[in-house]
Every structure is written in structure tokens, then in C-alpha cells.
């Protein structure tokens, strides 16, 4: 039996040990220790994700709101709480039959010409403000110790693309026809070239939102020369990336070994260059 934790390599009169990817060799030259990738910049995960270390690797898991639990693969939040009893609802089978709305999300840069003053509105519990059709409600039926129940409003856990696009369509129809407004899911940006124009547009948008029986939360920001919107900083000069969203990349340590290169592979090149404005990937030389 060789003394190495993972691999033993024979050489004339001696031997050496090596480890599986995701492990480092201890100073004794025999023992392999799991590398905790999460210790460095949250493992490279997005700021709204949690890095969870596992043997030889790690995962970037979503962070769920109160009343929801993380799925086994860590990629989605499921369930919802009823009073003091938490009912975990798995819509996997239902999602196989849910049709997409195919409603595109707008681009920010295309809509902000001459904008100088901004207000950011945030819809409260977005999906829960959307009533399900009577014929669709029984499809969400779930069983509890107290009987069977179904959802009257659009629950979290329904096919994310379809639910997102449906809510986007509803919000877009609510503000349709009003100038100086950009809607992206539950985030609404109202802007104007002057304070007067901004205030006039904002009043009309708030009236439209009220007529649609939509409510807003405390995260709204009113009448500011600069706001953070969809991961970008928006002001009179245009849009630029929010430094908080690229901090992990900006502060990333240059890899010096195989483990470091493996860590860097968390980001694909396409994802990396999307975060860097003004870079033409055709002109990039790799050593």
C-alpha cells in the first residue's frame, strides 16, 4: 500500500505523490487536502450567488428569500410559505408543459437619449401581483397536512423564462405609450431631459401603475441624477458597468499554477469580455 492520498508515481529509488483536481498536496508530500475555492472572492460566483465548497470542487448556488429553499442542485428556489407552515412545491412536471410567452426584454442603452434626471421604481413581490386564470389554478394544486390547496397568484417556481416574460409583458403593457420610461421585469426606470419633464412623466407612470393595481416597495429611488439599474450606473453621460458587479473580476489574482487556471475557467471568455466595454476580442493576443 503506497502512502499517497491519491496518486503515487514511481521513480528510480523513490516515488512522488499527486492529487486530483481541486486538491493540493500538503507539505508532507503525501496528503491531499481539498482546496476551498470559496475562500477567494466568493469562488468567482456572482454577487447574488453563494459559493458552496464541495470535495474537489464548488458550486455557485442561488440565495433564496425567506420562505423558500434551495433545490438539490443549488440552481433554483422552490416552495412558498403558507402562514407558519412551509409548503415546498415542485413544479418540475408542470413546467414541462408551460408555454413560453416569447416577449423580449428591452435594452437599456437604446432608450436613454438626452436623459438627465432619473427615478427607479421597484414592483413589490412581482409574481404575486399577477392573478392566475381560473382554469390554470388547479394545475398548481399541492397537498398539505391540512388539505389540498392551489395558487391564486403566479407562484415562484413556475418555468422561469415563461413567468418572467409574462410579467414583463404585463409591465410593458402597463406603461405602454408613455414617453421616458423603460421597464425591465419588476424594475421601472423613468427619466427626463429636465426636472420638469421628469416629474411630469413620473406622475403619469405612477397613475398608470396604480390603475393596474400594482404596488411598489421601499427600494424605489426618486428624482436622482444617477441611479443603479440592471447592473449598470445610469446618468447623463449614459450607461456604464457598476463596479460592484465586476469587483471579483477586477480583483482576480493572476493564476500561477494549474489550480489557478482551473479557477479562472469559472468565467467563459464571452462572459468576461461582455463585462469590459470597448474591448474588441478579435484584437486580443493570448500568450
Amino acid at each position: 500500500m503506497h502512502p499517497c492520498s491519491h496518486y503515487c508515481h514511481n521513480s528510480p529509488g523513490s516515488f512522488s505523490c499527486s492529487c486530483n483536481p481541486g486538491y493540493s498536496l500538503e507539505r508532507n508530500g503525501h496528503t491531499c487536502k481539498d482546496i476551498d475555492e470559496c475562500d477567494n472572492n466568493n469562488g468567482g460566483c456572482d454577487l447574488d450567488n453563494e459559493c458552496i465548497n464541495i470535495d474537489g470542487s464548488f458550486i455557485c448556488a442561488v440565495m433564496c428569500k425567506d420562505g423558500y429553499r434551495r433545490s438539490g442542485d443549488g440552481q433554483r428556489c422552490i416552495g412558498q410559505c403558507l402562514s407558519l407552515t412551509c409548503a415546498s412545491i415542485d413544479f418540475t412536471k408542470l413546467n414541462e408543459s408551460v408555454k413560453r410567452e416569447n416577449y423580449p426584454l428591452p435594452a437599456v442603452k437604446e432608450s436613454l437619449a438626452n436623459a438627465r434626471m432619473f427615478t427607479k421604481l421597484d414592483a413589490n413581490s412581482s409574481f404575486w401581483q399577477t392573478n392566475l386564470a381560473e382554469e390554470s389554478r388547479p394545475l398548481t394544486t399541492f397537498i398539505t397536512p391540512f388539505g389540498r390547496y392551489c395558487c391564486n397568484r403566479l407562484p415562484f417556481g413556475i418555468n422561469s423564462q415563461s413567468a418572467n416574460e409574462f410579467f414583463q409583458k404585463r409591465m410593458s403593457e402597463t406603461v405602454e405609450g408613455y414617453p421616458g420610461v423603460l421597464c425591465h421585469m419588476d424594475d421601472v426606470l423613468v427619466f427626463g431631459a429636465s426636472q420638469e419633464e421628469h416629474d411630469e412623466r413620473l406622475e403619469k407612470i405612477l397613475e398608470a401603475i396604480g390603475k393596474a393595481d400594482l404596488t411598489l416597495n421601499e427600494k424605489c429611488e426618486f428624482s436622482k441624477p444617477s441611479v443603479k439599474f440592471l447592473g449598470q450606473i445610469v446618468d447623463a453621460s449614459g450607461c456604464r458597468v457598476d463596479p460592484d458587479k465586476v469587483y471579483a473580476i477586477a480583483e482576480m489574482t493572476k493564476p500561477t499554477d494549474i489550480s489557478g487556471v482551473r479557477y479562472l475557467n469559472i468565467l467563459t471568455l464571452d462572459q468576461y469580455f461582455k463585462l469590459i466595454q470597448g474591448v474588441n476580442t478579435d484584437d486580443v493576443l493570448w500568450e
Side-chain angles (χ1 to χ4, degrees):
M1 176 69 81
H2 63 75
C4 301
S5 295
H6 289 175
Y7 301 108
C8 182
H9 307 281
N10 188 47
S11 60
S14 184
F15 69 92
S16 62
C17 301
S18 64
C19 304
N20 286 317
Y23 294 83
S24 61
L25 192 64
E26 296 279 72
R27 289 185 177 181
N28 60 24
H30 301 163
T31 306
C32 292
K33 181 182 178 181
D34 175 55
I35 299 173
D36 188 352
E37 294 88 350
C38 299
D39 276 347
N40 188 4
N41 289 332
N42 195 34
C45 300
D46 292 338
L47 294 179
D48 55 353
N49 284 359
E50 177 186 2
C51 180
I52 299 179
N53 187 60
I54 58 178
D55 286 344
S57 188
F58 67 98
I59 59 173
C60 295
V62 297
M63 293 189 291
C64 300
K65 298 179 180 179
D66 292 342
Y68 292 84
R69 65 177 178 83
R70 200 151 40 202
S71 60
D73 60 4
Q75 301 306 303
R76 59 194 178 96
C77 299
I78 59 177
Q80 67 184 65
C81 286
L82 305 175
S83 183
L84 297 179
T85 302
C86 186
S88 295
I89 311 172
D90 189 350
F91 291 119
T92 301
K93 296 300 294 183
L94 177 60
N95 284 336
E96 294 175 359
S97 302
V98 173
K99 294 182 179 179
R100 287 190 58 181
E101 190 70 32
N102 288 319
Y103 196 88
L105 299 178
V108 177
K109 293 183 178 180
E110 297 175 356
S111 311
L112 299 177
N114 301 319
R116 295 291 184 273
M117 191 60 62
F118 305 88
T119 284
K120 182 175 69 173
L121 305 176
D122 197 316
N124 185 40
S125 300
S126 54
F127 287 3
W128 291 350
Q129 298 196 58
T130 303
N131 289 319
L132 286 178
E134 290 284 349
E135 61 272 20
S136 296
R137 295 176 184 180
L139 300 176
T140 66
T141 299
F142 55 95
I143 301 175
T144 75
F146 317 106
R148 295 185 179 183
Y149 295 84
C150 65
C151 300
N152 292 326
R153 296 175 180 266
L154 182 63
F156 290 88
I158 293 293
N159 182 285
S160 59
Q161 288 182 321
S162 178
N164 290 344
E165 290 169 345
F166 181 86
F167 189 76
Q168 174 67 42
K169 180 179 180 181
R170 184 191 179 195
M171 292 294 293
S172 296
E173 290 175 346
T174 299
V175 301
E176 186 176 9
Y178 293 97
V181 59
L182 178 65
C183 173
H184 195 286
M185 291 292 294
D186 53 355
D187 294 312
V188 179
L189 184 68
V190 182
F191 53 91
S194 65
Q195 184 71 61
E196 292 75 17
E197 183 180 64
H198 164 273
D199 293 348
E200 180 181 348
R201 291 175 172 180
L202 177 59
E203 183 177 356
K204 293 179 179 179
I205 292 301
L206 291 176
E207 289 178 356
I209 290 176
K211 290 179 180 179
D213 292 327
L214 294 168
T215 60
L216 305 174
N217 61 36
E218 68 281 356
K219 293 190 291 184
C220 298
E221 299 180 32
F222 294 94
S223 192
K224 291 189 173 184
S226 176
V227 294
K228 292 184 178 181
F229 187 70
L230 306 181
Q232 302 180 68
I233 295 178
V234 181
D235 56 24
S237 63
C239 301
R240 61 184 184 278
V241 175
D242 181 356
D244 291 341
K245 297 298 183 181
V246 294
Y247 174 80
I249 295 178
E251 299 300 322
M252 183 179 293
T253 303
K254 181 179 179 180
T256 58
D257 53 24
I258 294 177
S259 296
V261 173
R262 176 177 171 274
Y263 169 74
L264 184 61
N265 284 338
I266 298 166
L267 296 173
T268 66
L269 294 181
D270 286 341
Q271 291 172 323
Y272 181 78
F273 284 114
K274 284 178 182 178
L275 298 175
I276 304 178
Q277 295 182 339
V279 174
N280 183 351
T281 56
D282 295 334
D283 297 332
V284 175
L285 298 178
W286 297 93
E287 296 181 356

